[in-house]
Amino acid sequence: MNRETYQRIFEVWCKKLRLSPDWDVRLEWFEDPDWHKTGDFKVDCGDKKAILMLNACNPKQEENMEEIIVHELMHLKLCLLYTSDAADERS
């Protein structure tokens, strides 16, 4: 599969997990052989923006890319649930 296909998969899962349209979540590819993770996130909760960073050099990418995308999006979803629960407790 190519990056356009993965972009569509990413967009579908952002909608399924109800991240969009409330959040501005982008998918970016990194080609760094020294970065050993398959993916990671940068999140700005105040502005409701996030970047999913995927490592294009990781050999695991081709065999389970959709799982990696969903896995990383779940980190964001759970982070949002945790931060909103913490805000509710402070109120």
Side-chain angles (χ1 to χ4, degrees):
M1 283 194 234
N2 60 31
R3 290 184 185 188
E4 290 176 11
T5 302
Y6 293 132
Q7 180 67 40
R8 286 192 297 274
I9 291 169
F10 168 78
E11 291 167 4
V12 165
W13 278 101
C14 281
K15 289 177 185 170
K16 283 184 180 184
L17 294 172
R18 297 182 181 167
L19 294 168
S20 59
D22 292 337
W23 275 72
D24 178 13
V25 185
R26 294 189 340 239
L27 174 62
E28 290 188 7
W29 294 88
F30 288 84
E31 297 185 19
D32 182 356
D34 294 328
W35 188 41
H36 299 290
K37 290 182 163 188
T38 53
D40 204 355
F41 254 107
K42 289 185 180 180
V43 180
D44 181 345
C45 289
D47 287 337
K48 289 189 169 185
K49 293 183 179 184
I51 300 170
L52 168 54
M53 303 174 294
L54 293 178
N55 185 356
C57 294
N58 192 304
K60 295 179 185 175
Q61 297 293 42
E62 284 301 315
E63 58 191 64
N64 60 356
M65 181 57 75
E66 185 170 5
E67 290 176 25
I68 292 167
I69 290 171
V70 174
H71 173 92
E72 294 301 331
L73 288 172
M74 288 303 297
H75 282 296
L76 176 60
K77 185 71 174 182
L78 292 173
C79 172
L80 299 175
L81 290 173
Y82 174 75
T83 55
S84 72
D85 286 347
D88 290 345
E89 290 174 11
R90 289 189 299 262
S91 299

